[in-house]
Every structure is written in C-alpha cells, then in structure tokens.
Amino acid sequence: MGTALLTDHYELTMLASALRDGSAHRECVFEVFARRLPKERRYGVVAGTGRLLDALVDFRFEAEDLDYLRSAGVVDAETAEWLAAYRFSGDIDGYPEGELYFPGSPILSVRGTFAEAVLLETLALSILNHDSAIATAAARMAVAASDRPLIEMGSRRTHEESAVASARAAFLAGFTATSNLEAGRRYGIPTTGTSAHAFTLLHDTEKAAFSGQLAALGVGTTMLVDTYDITAGIRTAIEVAGPSLGAVRIDSGDLGVLAVQARQQLDSLGATDTRIVVSGDLDEFAIAALAVAPVDAYGAGTAVVTGSGAPTAGMVYKLVEVEGRPVAKRSENKASRGGRKAAIRRYKPTGTAIEEVILTGAGAPELGECDRPLQIPLVRSGDRVPDAPTLRDSRDHLAKALVTLPWEGLSLSAGEPAVPVLFSS
Amino acid sequence: MGTALLTDHYELTMLASALRDGSAHRECVFEVFARRLPKERRYGVVAGTGRLLDALVDFRFEAEDLDYLRSAGVVDAETAEWLAAYRFSGDIDGYPEGELYFPGSPILSVRGTFAEAVLLETLALSILNHDSAIATAAARMAVAASDRPLIEMGSRRTHEESAVASARAAFLAGFTATSNLEAGRRYGIPTTGTSAHAFTLLHDTEKAAFSGQLAALGVGTTMLVDTYDITAGIRTAIEVAGPSLGAVRIDSGDLGVLAVQARQQLDSLGATDTRIVVSGDLDEFAIAALAVAPVDAYGAGTAVVTGSGAPTAGMVYKLVEVEGRPVAKRSENKASRGGRKAAIRRYKPTGTAIEEVILTGAGAPELGECDRPLQIPLVRSGDRVPDAPTLRDSRDHLAKALVTLPWEGLSLSAGEPAVPVLFSS
C-alpha cells in the first residue's frame, strides 16, 4: 500500500496555495525536534527513522489516490498534476536510530522545496512520535531489567500495526524477544511464547494440559503455573516434565513473593535450572522492584506499547529556514528558534557525556577531540544513503550510548535531562 | 496484506499442542470483556468491530506465512498443514459498534473449536482495545463540545495506521471531520484542513500568505492567525479576504480569552459570520471549559489519538466454556466468571437506562417490555452476517445510546459506571 495519503489534509491545501502563488518552489529546511521529554524523563531514544525511510519509498500519489483527492475536492487539477509527478528529491539528515535525544535536539532535518518537504510532515511525525515514545519507555525497562531477558508481549493492547512497530522499537531498546509474529517475520526479531490460561482451562486437568504441552513443545518449554494454585501447578509441572523443565511462568499475584516461593519449591524438587518467568502489568518500576527477586526473565506488555504513560513523544516538524533566511513562529520558546541546526555531543576523555551543543547556522561545526557529531546523512537527492544501520546496529548504538550517561541519567525518577543542552550560533 | 501473523506466538504453540493431544477440536466459547472502565470513567464505547470483521476475511495463512513460521521453528509440519487449510468457521456475536459497555459486558462472543477460536485472540483484542479506547475518549469530547463541530487532527501523534483507525473511532464517537486523508478515502469520513504556521513563515509577509491562501482556497477558507500577533493577524485576514472570510483559527495561548477578543475584533470589522476555530492540546476538560467562549469549532489531536490518558481499553479474550462446561481461572474476580453470557439493558418507560443484566448459561434471556438485548449476530458459520451496520449507523447508535444515560452518567468526572451491572444465572 502507498503511504502518501497517511497525511493531513492541510499539507495538500498548503501545497495548492503555494503552487498557485509560486512560493512552493522556495528552498526550505524543516526540522523535527521535541520541546521537552515526556514525564520529565532523563533521556529520549530516537526510533522509527528506518521505518520512515522505508515509507518514503512508497510515498507516491498513484492514480487512485489522485482520483480520491480530486473527487473529494481536496486538490485542484493543477495540484493533482504536480502530485502525480511527485517524488521527494531533497536531502535528509538525522540522528541515527538508537541515538539519545534531549529537548531541542534536531532529530531530523529535511531540505528541499517547500512543496516536496511539507508533504512529509504528517508521516514523519507519526512514525517518529510513535516509535520514539515506545523505545524511550522500553529503554527504561531494559535498564531496570539489567542483564535479565525481557520479552515484549503487548500486541493485544495496541493497534495491530502499532504492535509490530512497538515490537521493533522495544527490540531496538534492548528487549530480547517479542510475542508478535509479524515483527518476527518483518524485522527478524526473535519471537517467543508457549501457552495461556486458556490452554490449561481447555483440558480436563492441569496435568493433562502440561502433558500435552510437553509432548508438543519439549522439555525446554515454559509452563504457565498460575491457572489454579501455583504450588500445585509447579508440582504438577515438574511431575510431568521432570527437573529439566525449561521454565515456569507466573502471570498474577505478588510476583516478588511468588518468585521466592517458586524458586524454593523448584530447588526442593531438584529443578535448580528451571527458570522463572514473570509477567502481568509490569512497567519499569515494577521490573526494578523485582531486581532482588529470583526472576530469570520478564514479560512486559501494556506498559511497553503505551509508552508507560507517555504514548507519544511530542515531536514537531517545523519550518526553520526559507531560502537561507531563518524563520520561527513568534510565540514559541527558545527551543524552536529559527535557522538550520547542527548538533554535537561533548564527552569527557573517560567517555561520559557532558553536554549537547546545538549550533544554529550553516557550516560544519568545529569538533573538539572528545566531541561527536550527532547527525548522519540519510537521504541525498531523494535517494536513501546506502549502508544504513540495521536494526541490530541501532540496538548496539543505544546500548553504547546509555553507558555514556552520567549515573543519575539512568535514574527512573523524574528530573532534569541527563545531559544539558546548550544552544549556540 | 494478510492479517494472520498479527498474532502472538503462543496462539500457535497452543494450537500445536492441542492438535497433538486432540483437545484442539473441543467446542469452545471465548468472550471479550473489560474488567473495569479506564480512569473510573462512566461508560465505555464499543468500537472496532467492523474493522475486526474486515480483518477476519484476510485472516488466512498463506504459503509465505507458513514458510516463515516453519523456518523460524514456530510450528511443526502437522500444524502448518492445518493452518494452510484454516478458515474460521464458527459463530461470533457481539455488541454493535457504538454501543455503550460497562465492566463485564460480554462485548464479543466467539464460538468454535478451540483451534479456530484461539487464533483470533490477538487480532481481536488489538483492534477492539485500540478503537474502543479512542472512541471512549472521543465520545467524552463530543459530549463536552455539545453541538459545536469537532475536528480530529491527531494523526501526527500516533502510529500512521493507528491514525486512520483513530479518525474512524472519533467519527463514530461524534466528531464531525478528520485531518486524515486515508480515513477520508477508506471510510468516507469528511476531511478538512487549510494551513499551518509553516505556510505563513514561507511567505515574506503574513499578508502575502493570506492572499495566496485566499486565491487558492476561496473566501470560505480558515486562516491561521497566530503565527505572529493575533490582533494583527485577524486585521490582515479580514483586510485580505473581506468580512465574508469563513473562519480564523487560533492554535496557541489562552484560548478562552483569545476567542472573546477575536470575536469582538471580527464583529467590529463587520465579519460577524466569520467563525472562530480553536485548537492546541484540547482534551475533554479543556473543551468543556470553553463552553462559554465564543468558539465555533474545536480541533483536537493528541488527546483523541492517545485516549486522553487511557490509550488502551484493557479488554481481555477469555475462554469461558469448553464442550458446554463453564471454565474460569481460579484467581480472577467475579467479572470473569465462567460460562457463556447474554446481556440485556433495562430501561425506564421514559427511555433512561436503569441497569445492565448479564446472564450466564445457555438459552435466550426473557425480555421485559423495556428491556433490550445487547448482542447481535456478526458471523455465522464463518460468514459475515449481511446488512451489517455502517459507520454512520454506529455513529447514530452511539448518539442515541448516550441520551439514555442517567444525567450523572455524562459527567466528565471520575465515578461509578453510569449504569450498574447485575450478574444473574
């Protein structure tokens, strides 16, 4: 399916007006940035850039799109004709996926004529706002989980296509697997899952259910033991599978207490290597609270796919330059100042990030020995720059970036951005 | 695209296990319900059923799907063979879209073998949880807006496909239009939009921008007047377009105060019929607070597409009956009791809803004179029941249903469900 109609009506009426008065062909720079981090978090995680670049390839107005736009009176004949030939031919730079961002960070920079660049606003923001919100929440969970595996299982709590994008963003942020099969196919993310309470209820006894699962999935499987009584469930699971059972899952109750009891019981049954997976409304705070519990893996659902209280990243797509002249809306705050921007992050020689410097104006910034430029070229003359980072590259990039934060920057509590942002011209 | 892989991994491993031990062919009833309403709201709005029935048509495992599932080790050869022939052949009943729901309401009832019904869990919940969350929030905004038009413009704040579904859910809930073009094409929803701040910034002067817009879009257009100074913006807009200008839009600042000033200024310029559209982070509370302001239409974005603090409806898909035997997880609360359910709503002779009665067990409920059954047949033997309600039918259904609520049920404040739910067997 084409992506061109995933766009707000007013992008096309602006285009129509600008084509008519000639301003459509002025060279412009649009930038994507966030005025603040949601919920006073310490950092944001850029995600979605790869999906946006994929969607850009399909951003063409086909005959059937134009038929609709004409018949609905959205555009006139001249505009429709222009759209039929439309193909973004400008340049895009941006923070790579998996990079950290802070208030004002110029996450994406789109350069081209007004006509070709304004059309991308809605799609660019939809993808970046959604995916970055999920990745930002997911990264906090991954930090809280530390070295323990983390499974994304929130598909059922969000739109069916958001679910796929959420699984991708969560994997980028450090999750180890997803329940979502389409995310497995589309992005190569490991998928996982064994059984739900329904499978136990389907059978005449819990033992029959566990036996059926064992026969089909083998002794390495994970058995869900809280359909009836957890102690009886664990006893039955080991009775059926033996002490080599892969894992048990507990999906309800006081998980910290239950995990301790389950560990003791499993150990007493000789199942010392049987892992304990916990799930059930886990967010970053619940995961952190379970750090001392004998838990081997977490499953997180609703909190991941809804951004744990911040389902959108609040990024905006602003016109900052017209024919080389900086422009800005009067009433906006400092963070949305006009003019194209470059960004560098400064580090101590030890590797700890000190500050992010956002420079307004043309020209490349001068880099000190411990400075790193944050933007990379993504599109040149309409074509995607080759050798773009893969999803796994982005995942590694984020893991390394998180290590550079000052220690208080990884705190789950609300507060100032982990790294101060300095504006300079 | 097929929809079969928009599914959690464990649905397929449960299928594999159940095929192997023979339990896959047991006749089952699964039900969708919500244990509570989000944020102690007074009512929920069912939405997404039409999208789910559309998605069901494409819920087939094609060769390429099966290749992936086999190569990723998700299913064995026997299960893959079963999936290749899979086609849901059971029955589905449910609350019609636009119906109100309360804690425990059996919103969807899926009957068939375990194998064929369990596979639909993830997709059904994704669609119903998302769309119902949006519709529930949007309905509160529509109630707050009363007779004033309400435009959904939140596409950029959510996943690009959620945006289309959100526009649909908001229209169902009483919104008058959307900014989303794909929603216009796919669902016939009126779309609207004129210009953003970027269009004004693109031009050398605000006057030049307004002149360009007027030339292209005509005098009935809406001019965005808050890029620089609102008073000067309104003066310029009327100077350019004359007192027949369709509308001005204000997108920032204290909208209540600014609307009063704008009305006075427009009237003093003779533009007494020029309407005032306000937008900018409006939710149901902000809309309600503007009831006394001279506002002619609202634009709402972020709050609609994120469910105004409740981005998911929390519905679950539970196995309640196996071969005629009621089943339920031990630890769940009363609302998830086993056994298939029917639901009726009781009304006073005046039409006010008194209570919702949920009856467990087979057989049709006895209806009193002022009782109304809530479930309708949606699918019979795998085929969609003909003459399903259209989106506009659902919109009308909701508008009528809201009128039946006791007056406190329309309150925006947190509290008890508007109508008590009574369980009976």
Side-chain angles (χ1 to χ4, degrees):
Chain A
M1 195 196 82
T3 56
L5 290 200
L6 299 169
T7 295
D8 283 333
H9 185 123
Y10 80 3
E11 317 289 7
L12 297 191
T13 46
M14 283 193 278
L15 171 69
S17 301
L19 283 173
R20 195 172 170 121
D21 73 12
S23 59
H25 311 297
R26 295 184 168 191
E27 285 296 324
C28 289
V29 180
F30 286 85
E31 282 177 355
V32 172
F33 60 94
R35 294 210 173 81
R36 62 195 73 83
L37 297 171
K39 298 170 75 75
E40 295 182 77
R41 288 178 182 162
R42 309 305 184 105
Y43 56 86
V45 174
V46 175
T49 318
R51 288 214 306 121
L52 173 59
L53 297 176
D54 290 344
L56 192 58
V57 174
D58 299 319
F59 198 95
R60 308 286 171 87
F61 293 85
E62 306 293 347
E64 58 177 23
D65 302 327
L66 295 169
D67 286 349
Y68 161 70
L69 294 173
R70 287 288 285 141
S71 68
V74 178
V75 296
D76 54 29
E78 185 200 350
T79 307
E81 196 180 327
W82 188 91
L83 288 171
Y86 173 74
R87 185 181 171 291
F88 180 73
S89 70
D91 295 345
I92 304 179
D93 285 26
Y95 282 34
E97 279 199 278
E99 186 55 86
L100 302 175
Y101 74 87
F102 300 97
S105 294
I107 291 156
L108 200 77
S109 172
V110 179
R111 298 185 297 278
T113 64
F114 178 80
E116 63 182 349
V118 76
L119 290 182
L120 303 182
E121 177 179 33
T122 312
L123 186 64
L125 288 178
S126 287
I127 293 176
L128 295 174
N129 271 324
H130 176 268
D131 291 14
S132 299
I134 306 307
T136 298
R140 290 159 56 84
M141 296 177 205
V143 167
S146 192
D147 292 335
R148 294 176 177 172
L150 198 50
I151 305 158
E152 186 282 308
M153 40 173 71
S155 293
R156 65 191 56 194
R157 303 285 178 226
T158 189
H159 182 283
E160 66 276 20
E161 275 293 330
S162 311
V164 184
S166 293
R168 180 183 183 279
F171 183 71
L172 185 157
F175 275 57
T176 39
T178 178
S179 65
N180 190 287
L181 292 170
E182 181 62 25
R185 171 165 66 177
R186 206 180 290 174
Y187 302 117
I189 302 170
T191 66
T192 185
T194 57
S195 71
H197 298 116
F199 185 76
T200 300
L201 295 172
L202 170 69
H203 289 79
D204 297 334
T205 63
E206 194 173 44
K207 186 171 181 177
F210 290 171
S211 300
Q213 184 179 333
L214 180 76
L217 306 181
V219 74
T221 193
T222 299
M223 287 184 178
L224 180 62
V225 293
D226 69 341
T227 304
Y228 305 113
D229 175 82
I230 294 178
T231 304
I234 291 175
R235 192 187 315 121
T236 305
I238 300 301
E239 190 187 323
V240 166
S244 303
L245 176 64
V248 296
R249 179 161 75 97
I250 305 172
D251 186 50
S252 54
D254 183 337
L255 297 174
V257 172
L258 294 172
V260 169
Q261 291 174 357
R263 183 75 271 153
Q264 288 170 345
Q265 187 185 0
L266 287 167
D267 289 350
S268 76
L269 295 169
T272 52
D273 289 338
T274 299
R275 291 170 302 117
I276 298 173
V277 183
V278 297
S279 57
D281 285 332
L282 293 181
D283 62 11
E284 62 268 46
F285 303 103
I287 290 168
L290 288 166
V292 295
V295 165
D296 299 288
Y298 304 98
T302 309
V304 189
V305 301
T306 59
S308 199
T312 188
M315 292 176 187
V316 293
Y317 184 94
K318 291 292 173 190
L319 178 61
V320 296
E321 206 175 285
V322 179
E323 301 280 11
R325 165 179 62 91
V327 298
K329 181 172 179 299
R330 182 193 66 101
S331 57
E332 285 174 325
N333 62 16
K334 280 201 297 182
S336 60
R337 58 188 69 192
R340 73 173 67 192
K341 295 167 199 73
I344 61 176
R345 198 169 290 153
R346 298 207 158 118
Y347 298 85
K348 290 184 193 170
T350 58
T352 303
I354 305 169
E355 61 186 11
E356 184 158 319
V357 184
I358 299 175
L359 301 124
T360 307
E366 258 182 65
L367 292 176
E369 204 175 323
C370 298
D371 295 351
R372 188 164 63 80
L374 291 165
Q375 292 154 320
I376 61 170
L378 299 169
V379 171
R380 286 293 174 267
S381 303
D383 292 326
R384 196 164 173 169
V385 169
D387 302 323
T390 66
L391 182 59
R392 280 174 193 271
D393 292 339
S394 302
R395 191 171 190 267
D396 293 342
H397 186 96
L398 175 61
K400 286 181 190 135
L402 286 169
V403 173
T404 69
L405 290 182
W407 68 268
E408 69 273 21
L410 292 177
S411 166
L412 294 181
S413 61
E416 295 295 314
V419 172
V421 176
L422 201 76
F423 284 85
S424 173
S425 55
Chain B
M1 196 195 82
T3 56
L5 289 201
L6 299 169
T7 294
D8 283 334
H9 186 124
Y10 80 3
E11 317 289 7
L12 297 191
T13 46
M14 284 193 278
L15 172 67
S17 302
L19 283 173
R20 195 171 170 120
D21 73 11
S23 60
H25 311 296
R26 294 184 168 191
E27 286 294 325
C28 289
V29 181
F30 286 86
E31 282 177 353
V32 172
F33 60 93
R35 295 209 171 82
R36 61 195 73 84
L37 296 171
K39 297 170 76 74
E40 294 182 77
R41 287 178 183 162
R42 310 304 185 104
Y43 56 86
V45 174
V46 175
T49 319
R51 288 213 307 120
L52 173 59
L53 297 176
D54 290 344
L56 192 57
V57 175
D58 299 319
F59 198 94
R60 309 285 171 87
F61 292 85
E62 306 293 348
E64 57 176 25
D65 302 327
L66 296 169
D67 287 348
Y68 162 70
L69 294 173
R70 288 288 285 140
S71 69
V74 179
V75 297
D76 54 28
E78 185 200 351
T79 307
E81 196 180 327
W82 188 92
L83 288 172
Y86 173 73
R87 185 181 172 291
F88 179 73
S89 70
D91 294 344
I92 304 179
D93 285 25
Y95 283 34
E97 279 199 278
E99 186 55 87
L100 302 175
Y101 75 87
F102 300 98
S105 294
I107 291 157
L108 200 77
S109 172
V110 179
R111 299 185 295 278
T113 64
F114 178 80
E116 63 183 348
V118 76
L119 290 182
L120 303 182
E121 177 180 31
T122 312
L123 185 65
L125 287 178
S126 286
I127 293 176
L128 295 174
N129 271 324
H130 176 267
D131 291 14
S132 299
I134 306 307
T136 298
R140 290 160 54 86
M141 295 176 206
V143 166
S146 191
D147 292 335
R148 294 176 176 172
L150 200 49
I151 305 159
E152 186 282 308
M153 41 174 71
S155 293
R156 65 191 56 194
R157 303 285 178 226
T158 190
H159 183 281
E160 66 276 20
E161 275 293 330
S162 311
V164 184
S166 293
R168 180 184 183 279
F171 182 71
L172 185 157
F175 276 57
T176 39
T178 178
S179 65
N180 190 287
L181 292 169
E182 181 62 25
R185 171 166 66 178
R186 206 180 291 175
Y187 301 118
I189 302 170
T191 67
T192 186
T194 57
S195 70
H197 298 117
F199 185 75
T200 300
L201 295 173
L202 170 68
H203 289 79
D204 297 334
T205 63
E206 193 173 45
K207 187 170 180 178
F210 289 171
S211 299
Q213 185 180 332
L214 180 76
L217 306 181
V219 74
T221 193
T222 299
M223 287 184 178
L224 180 62
V225 293
D226 69 341
T227 303
Y228 303 113
D229 175 81
I230 294 178
T231 304
I234 291 175
R235 192 186 317 121
T236 304
I238 300 301
E239 190 188 321
V240 166
S244 302
L245 176 64
V248 296
R249 178 161 75 98
I250 305 172
D251 187 49
S252 54
D254 183 337
L255 297 173
V257 171
L258 293 173
V260 169
Q261 291 173 357
R263 184 74 271 155
Q264 287 171 346
Q265 187 185 0
L266 287 168
D267 289 350
S268 76
L269 294 169
T272 52
D273 289 338
T274 300
R275 290 170 303 118
I276 297 172
V277 183
V278 297
S279 58
D281 286 332
L282 293 181
D283 63 9
E284 62 268 47
F285 303 104
I287 290 169
L290 288 167
V292 295
V295 165
D296 298 288
Y298 304 98
T302 308
V304 188
V305 301
T306 59
S308 199
T312 188
M315 293 176 186
V316 294
Y317 184 94
K318 292 292 173 190
L319 179 62
V320 297
E321 207 175 283
V322 178
E323 300 281 10
R325 165 179 63 92
V327 296
K329 180 174 181 295
R330 181 195 66 101
S331 57
E332 286 175 326
N333 61 16
K334 278 202 299 184
S336 61
R337 60 186 68 194
R340 72 174 68 192
K341 294 166 200 75
I344 61 176
R345 200 168 289 152
R346 297 208 158 117
Y347 299 85
K348 290 185 193 170
T350 57
T352 303
I354 304 169
E355 62 186 11
E356 184 157 319
V357 184
I358 299 175
L359 301 124
T360 307
E366 259 182 64
L367 292 175
E369 204 175 324
C370 298
D371 295 351
R372 188 165 64 79
L374 291 165
Q375 293 154 319
I376 60 170
L378 298 169
V379 171
R380 285 293 174 267
S381 304
D383 292 325
R384 196 164 173 169
V385 169
D387 301 322
T390 65
L391 182 58
R392 280 173 194 270
D393 292 340
S394 302
R395 191 170 190 268
D396 293 343
H397 187 96
L398 175 61
K400 286 183 189 134
L402 286 169
V403 172
T404 69
L405 290 182
W407 67 268
E408 68 273 20
L410 292 178
S411 167
L412 294 181
S413 61
E416 295 295 314
V419 172
V421 176
L422 201 76
F423 284 84
S424 173
S425 54

